[in-house]
Structure formats: structure tokens, C-alpha cells
């Protein structure tokens, strides 16, 4: 077939597919609009159709709204199943977090430690933070805890370098949001709007081959009920590197069963009454068993699967159109914290649900240290799902990423590859799915780096290569820890990934 005719044939096929899809969507909505009313009342068929649709829609929105809570609850349940539960259990990925542990967008280039405490069960909790850490205290909707105001600066969520201790370490007292007890001297008091609280450590190191010192510092942590340090249960530090856990949230109807367990264990925040009404409308109420009918189970399963796909469209497509959603107008790097607000409320008039959905389907934990522009403090996370031509990254292709000289990270930089669907570390057969500046990849003569992503390393480029998996889509996060001014002024910009082989 001549090229011109072949092009016309392809175009016709595409138009037919689009037309068919558009017609199917239109038919679905037309059926709702045209649901018959007889004598000014719905027929039984119309009532069934509209009732099912309303239940389905409410379930979809409940799924999307509750993503931060269920993402975190899944982490808690997955962790406790493997490592045990209690305020004294602080799992540590002592040899760094590899792809066998399933959790959204972990960093393989520092030591992670994650604990889950319950201030309704154990009362106010003290976290004795060692020095030289960067960590977060979030509630279970993944909102940064409200901390003290010191010298005119209000702290929320962060501890360590970006927190009030400034990396020197200190005692953090976690209390309920309405706590009216004493605020003892020598403690940083942080208030939580949920019973459950997430304690998240990121411990840096300078030599990936010597993690002993970093592990020793984390092991000096003490977590215990306030006033009970001497009688508290002994700390446990299970090794997540050798014994992985699956901490991913469900993407089918079982999501709502997990949400029901969360609701049963949590306090009722007066600010959530409308959304609790949405949950009640699908049969999910605090203090009552969650017992959907067989038909409702079918709709819940469809709603969860639909909502999950919608959340993927938000992160892959929706975020790009957000103000600040792209770091550079001429490049593909996206900003998952486009509004620089850990509550996604930079507008001051609403919560940005596009940004919120996009983030929590892909990641966990928020704090100002992750979000706000702090020169040589905190971190930045430019992310890309696309190559320089705007095409999604494909595991069977080979790409080159050029980082110009002077990568603006006072601490270190890293690149990590993630499974595009579940956002966990890509299980690529390497020890870790990442590469960082401490690995000492080869530099070009001008101090720049060329990094490679593909199923096989280009000849002589093994030290600068991260493996990908043919047939599997993926994305990349470029982490800049303690970003320098050049990043914020954009006098330094990473290139896009260029496909060099397929």
C-alpha cells in the first residue's frame, strides 16, 4: 500500500476507535439522562439504574478522597504483619530499601525507618530523635502534625534538619489535636488529628558500602508513652532489607474493607462529617459492621478499579496541566508538589483534588521539608513519565539522561526507577533500582553525567546504568537532597530522557 494511503487508513482506524469510544460514553450518559419517569415518578428500571449509578459514583469519590488514609493504613497493616506492632517497633531497612519491599516511591539511597503509633491506645507518645536525621510526623490522612512556633517560625510535620531541632536531635511529644495538658519543657509538642501517627526516618550516609554508623544512630531512637520511659517496652528494630513486606493499598473492592478497618480504629474529626456522609451512603459507618450486599460488592469492585485508573490519569496527565505542574515549559519533568503546600491548599480557597489524587496514588508522607523551597535544606523530587518526545517510558527501550555540570544538591542526588502502575521500586534484577552520586558514576570531562536506562547497559556504561524491564512501563524520580539555589533559579536544568535505542 502506498504511504499516503497507509496514512489515511491508519487515520481512519483511529477516528473509528475514538468515535466508538465516544459513542459508548455518550450512550452511557444518555441512558442516565433519559432514565424514564412515568406520571412524574421513576419507573422501577429507572430507579434501579440511577440508584446503582449513585452508589457507584459515591464509591469512586470515597476511594479517591480516602487514598491518603488507605495508602497509610495499608503500610501499617503490611508492616505489622511482618515485623509486629506496637509503639516500640521501628522497622529499619538496614541495607537500604530494595524492590522486594512493596511500597509507593521509596528512596533506596538513604536508610528508611517507619513506625506506627496510636495515641488513643497508649496516650501521648514521645519520640526521641537522634541527631543527623530528616524525618516526618504525619497523621493518618498524611497531614503534617502541627508543631510549635519558635522564633516566629511555625513548624509542621518535619523533625531533624528541617524541623525545630535543626538536625541536633530532640524529644518530640505527640498529643491529640485537642490536648489541653501540660507542655513540658525540653519537648517539641506536635498535635495529631488522628489516633494513629506515622513516624518516618530518613537517615543519610556518605559511603554506601559502610552503613554501620547510620544504623547505629537510628538504633538510638526511643519511642514510648510520655512519662513511662523506664517502664516502656524495649525497642525493636526489625530489618526490612532482609525480610520484605507488601505495604501497597488495594486496587479492587477489598479497598473498602481496608477503609472500614481504618474508620473503626479512628476518631471522628468534625471536619470530615460530609465525607463520612459519603461513606455512610455506601454502608460504611463508624461503630457499625460493613456488610454490603452481593450487588453492592459488585459495584464496589468496579468503583475501586475505576477510581484507581482515574488516579493514574491524574498523575500521568492531570498534573501536567496544573499551575506549576511542570518544572520547565520546555521539558517533561513534573512537580508532584506543584502548589508547594503539603495539604494541597495553596489556592487558600480549596483543596486541589487533582494534585492530591496524583500524589497519594503514587507516594506517601508530606511535610514542608518535602514541599517548600528551602535552599540547602529539605529535598526536591522532579519526576518524569515521558521521554524528550513526550512518549511514555518503555522498559524495552534505552534512554540517555544528561545531567549538566554542578548538580545542585548539597547533600546528594539520586535517580530511581519505579513501576508505573503501583509506583513501587521497579524489580529490575539489580540490587537496588537506583543510582546516586555516592555511587561515584563516571563523569564527563566537564563534570556532567550521562546516565542510561534500558534492559541492557550500553557498552562500557555499566557504572552509569539502571536496568529496566522490557514490556513494563516505568517512571523516574530525580532526587535532590539539600537543593542549591541554582535549582530554584533554574540556572541548572536536567535534560529530558532521549531514546537512543529500542
Amino acid at each position: 500500500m502506498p504511504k499516503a494511503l497507509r496514512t489515511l487508513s491508519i487515520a481512519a482506524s483511529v477516528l473509528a476507535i475514538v468515535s466508538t469510544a465516544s459513542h459508548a460514553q455518550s450512550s452511557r450518559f444518555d441512558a442516565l439522562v433519559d432514565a424514564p419517569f412515568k406520571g412524574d415518578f421513576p419507573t422501577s428500571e429507572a430507579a434501579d439504574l440511577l440508584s446503582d449509578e449513585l452508589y457507584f459514583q459515591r464509591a469512586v469519590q470515597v476511594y479517591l478522597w480516602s487514598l491518603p488514609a488507605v495508602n497509610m493504613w495499608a503500610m501499617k497493616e503490611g508492616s505489622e504483619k511482618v515485623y509486629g506492632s506496637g509503639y516500640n517497633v521501628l522497622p529499619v531497612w538496614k541495607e537500604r530499601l530494595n524492590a522486594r519491599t512493596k511500597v509507593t516511591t521509596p528512596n533506596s539511597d538513604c536508610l528508611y525507618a517507619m513506625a506506627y503509633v496510636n495515641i488513643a491506645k497508649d496516650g501521648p507518645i514521645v519520640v526521641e530523635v537522634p541527631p543527623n536525621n530528616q524525618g516526618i510526623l504525619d497523621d493518618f490522612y498524611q497531614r503534617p502534625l502541627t508543631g510549635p512556633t519558635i522564633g516566629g517560625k511555625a513548624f509542621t510535620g518535619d523533625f531533624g534538619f528541617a524541623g525545630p531541632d535543626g538536625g541536633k536531635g530532640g524529644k518530640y511529644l505527640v498529643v491529640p489535636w485537642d490536648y489541653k495538658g501540660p507542655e513540658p519543657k525540653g519537648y517539641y509538642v506536635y498535635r495529631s488529628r488522628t489516633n494513629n501517627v506515622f513516624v518516618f526516618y530518613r537517615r543519610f550516609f556518605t559511603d554506601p558500602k559502610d552503613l554501620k554508623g547510620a544504623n547505629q544512630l537510628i538504633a538510638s531512637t526511643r519511642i514510648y508513652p510520655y512519662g513511662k520511659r523506664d517502664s516502656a517496652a524495649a525497642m525493636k528494630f526489625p530489618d526490612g532489607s532482609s525480610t520484605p513486606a507488601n505495604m501497597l493499598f488495594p486496587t479492587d473492592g477489598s479497598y473498602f474493607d481496608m477503609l472500614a478497618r481504618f474508620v473503626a480504629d479512628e476518631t471522628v474529626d468534625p471536619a470530615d462529617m460530609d465525607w463520612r456522609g459519603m461513606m455512610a451512603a455506601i454502608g460504611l459507618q463508624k461503630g457499625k459492621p460493613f456488610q454490603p450486599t452481593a450487588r453492592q460488592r459488585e459495584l464496589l469492585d468496579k468503583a475501586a478499579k475505576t477510581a484507581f485508573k482515574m488516579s493514574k490519569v491524574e498523575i500521568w496527565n492531570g498534573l501536567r496541566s496544573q499551575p506549576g505542574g511542570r518544572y520547565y515549559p520546555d521539558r517533561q519533568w513534573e512537580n508532584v508538589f506543584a502548589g508547594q503546600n503539603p495539604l494541597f491548599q495553596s489556592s487558600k480557597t480549596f483543596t486541589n483534588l487533582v494534585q492530591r489524587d496524583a500524589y497519594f496514588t503514587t507516594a506517601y508522607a508530606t511535610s514542608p521539608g518535602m514541599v517548600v523551597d528551602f535552599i540547602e535544606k529539605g529535598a526536591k523530587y522532579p519526576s518524569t513519565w515521558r521521554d524528550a518526545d513526550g512518549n511514555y517510558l518503555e522498559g524495552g527501550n534505552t534512554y540517555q539522561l544528561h545531567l549538566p555540570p554542578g548538580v545542585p544538591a548539597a547533600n546528594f542526588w539520586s535517580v530511581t526507577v519505579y513501576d508505573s502502575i503501583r509506583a513501587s521500586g521497579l524489580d529490575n534484577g539489580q540490587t537496588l533500582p537506583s543510582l546516586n552520586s555516592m555511587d561515584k558514576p563516571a563523569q564527563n570531562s566537564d563534570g556532567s553525567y550521562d546516565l542510561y536506562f534500558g534492559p541492557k547497559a550500553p557498552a562500557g556504561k555499566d557504572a552509569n546504568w539502571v536496568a529496566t524491564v522490557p514490556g513494563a512501563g516505568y517512571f523516574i524520580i530525580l532526587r535532590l537532597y539539600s537543593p542549591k539555589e541554582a535549582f530554584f533559579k533554574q540556572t541548572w536544568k536536567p535534560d529530558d530522557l532521549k531514546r537512543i535505542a529500542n
Side-chain angles (χ1 to χ4, degrees):
M1 181 185 295
K3 182 176 180 180
L5 290 177
R6 185 167 65 249
T7 301
L8 286 172
S9 176
I10 292 171
S13 298
V14 170
L15 285 172
I17 292 169
V18 171
S19 176
T20 301
S22 177
H23 177 72
Q25 279 293 86
S26 179
S27 297
R28 178 192 168 218
F29 296 131
D30 286 346
L32 297 171
V33 171
D34 297 334
F37 274 43
K38 187 175 182 180
D40 293 333
F41 294 98
T43 65
S44 59
E45 293 81 7
D48 288 343
L49 173 67
L50 293 171
S51 295
D52 278 359
E53 182 68 24
L54 184 57
Y55 188 91
F56 173 83
Q57 288 190 19
R58 282 172 167 160
V60 166
Q61 295 306 317
V62 165
Y63 184 109
L64 293 171
W65 167 75
S66 62
L67 259 176
V70 178
N71 185 330
M72 184 55 63
W73 193 261
M75 291 172 61
K76 177 181 184 291
E77 285 193 348
S79 176
E80 291 180 349
K81 181 179 179 180
V82 176
Y83 310 122
S85 63
Y87 61 78
N88 62 315
V89 178
L90 180 61
V92 185
W93 280 260
K94 298 179 181 180
E95 295 296 327
R96 302 156 63 185
L97 204 154
N98 56 50
R100 293 189 301 149
T101 289
K102 303 301 180 184
V103 67
T104 52
T105 52
N107 183 354
S108 296
D109 298 295
C110 59
L111 294 193
Y112 267 23
M114 298 185 280
Y116 312 87
V117 301
N118 188 317
I119 55 178
K121 176 183 176 183
D122 298 308
I125 291 287
V126 176
V127 182
E128 290 188 5
V129 175
N132 299 321
N133 278 292
Q134 183 154 304
I136 295 174
L137 295 168
D138 274 357
D139 72 16
F140 261 47
Y141 284 103
Q142 302 202 49
R143 298 170 296 209
L145 269 55
T146 302
T149 297
I150 301 173
K153 177 178 174 57
F155 289 92
T156 58
D158 290 305
F159 65 79
F161 292 117
D165 68 278
K168 297 177 181 178
K171 295 179 180 179
Y172 287 76
L173 178 60
V174 180
V175 300
W177 65 275
D178 57 354
Y179 175 76
K180 293 181 174 60
E183 296 192 7
K185 291 184 179 181
Y187 293 80
Y188 303 112
V189 177
Y190 274 57
R191 295 174 181 269
S192 174
R193 289 168 61 186
T194 58
N195 295 336
N196 292 278
V197 174
F198 180 49
V199 182
F200 179 28
Y201 278 71
R202 288 167 294 186
R203 176 70 182 94
F204 303 128
F205 47 80
T206 56
D207 183 355
K209 297 178 181 178
D210 183 8
L211 304 177
K212 183 178 179 181
N215 275 294
Q216 286 177 338
L217 265 182
I218 291 179
S220 64
T221 297
R222 293 294 176 269
I223 303 175
Y224 52 87
Y226 175 66
K228 299 180 180 179
R229 191 183 196 280
D230 294 338
S231 60
M235 289 295 297
K236 297 180 181 179
F237 301 96
D239 183 7
S241 297
S242 61
T243 310
N246 186 337
M247 301 189 288
L248 294 172
F249 59 89
T251 61
D252 59 13
S254 66
Y255 179 100
F256 297 99
D257 297 289
M258 183 172 283
L259 177 58
R261 296 194 292 275
F262 167 78
V263 168
D265 199 62
E266 266 303 337
T267 186
V268 175
D269 187 332
D272 294 335
M273 297 301 279
D274 287 347
W275 277 106
R276 286 181 176 273
M278 290 282 278
M279 288 193 287
I282 61 172
L284 208 163
Q285 299 181 52
K286 185 173 178 65
K288 293 187 177 182
F290 181 51
Q291 297 175 328
T293 65
R295 175 58 177 158
Q296 288 172 336
R297 281 279 179 200
E298 181 183 353
L299 291 171
L300 289 170
D301 191 60
K302 293 179 185 296
K305 291 173 179 176
T306 300
F308 179 70
K309 287 186 175 181
M310 287 176 171
S311 74
K312 295 290 107 177
V313 171
E314 297 278 59
I315 185 64
W316 295 336
N317 293 4
L319 186 63
R320 293 164 60 84
S321 63
Q322 291 292 302
R326 294 176 70 166
Y327 273 108
Y328 320 102
D330 60 340
R331 308 200 180 182
Q332 303 293 340
W333 295 97
E334 297 185 28
N335 182 2
V336 295
F337 284 117
Q340 286 199 57
N341 185 291
L343 299 177
F344 305 95
Q345 294 172 349
S346 58
S347 71
K348 307 298 183 185
T349 60
F350 63 90
T351 299
N352 190 311
L353 297 181
V354 174
Q355 294 177 15
R356 186 179 184 269
D357 295 347
Y359 184 76
F360 289 117
T361 190
T362 308
Y364 63 88
T366 66
S367 77
M370 297 176 67
V371 178
V372 178
D373 289 352
F374 291 138
I375 296 176
E376 298 198 13
K377 288 186 178 181
K380 287 297 175 183
Y381 306 85
S383 307
T384 186
W385 286 256
R386 292 172 170 84
D387 66 15
D389 297 320
N391 299 315
Y392 288 122
L393 300 175
E394 298 180 14
N397 296 337
T398 299
Y399 303 88
Q400 179 188 55
L401 169 61
H402 181 73
L403 300 181
V407 180
N411 196 338
F412 72 94
W413 59 263
S414 72
V415 290
T416 309
V417 294
Y418 296 98
D419 165 30
S420 62
I421 299 294
R422 295 316 316 268
S424 191
L426 186 68
D427 196 357
N428 62 1
Q430 292 179 309
T431 303
L432 297 165
S434 66
L435 181 68
N436 68 68
S437 53
M438 295 174 289
D439 294 325
K440 296 182 172 55
Q443 286 183 277
N444 299 320
S445 59
D446 63 353
S448 65
Y449 295 91
D450 287 311
L451 310 179
Y452 300 88
F453 304 86
K456 294 182 179 180
K461 304 298 183 182
D462 293 71
N464 290 40
W465 165 69
V466 181
T468 61
V469 180
Y474 66 96
F475 66 98
I476 293 172
I477 296 180
L478 167 63
R479 285 181 171 85
L480 302 172
Y481 274 103
S482 301
K484 295 182 179 181
E485 191 173 24
F487 175 77
F488 300 110
K489 289 188 172 181
Q490 297 193 5
T491 55
W492 182 94
K493 297 191 293 186
D495 283 6
D496 281 328
L497 277 79
K498 297 178 181 178
R499 190 175 69 181
I500 58 175
N502 57 10

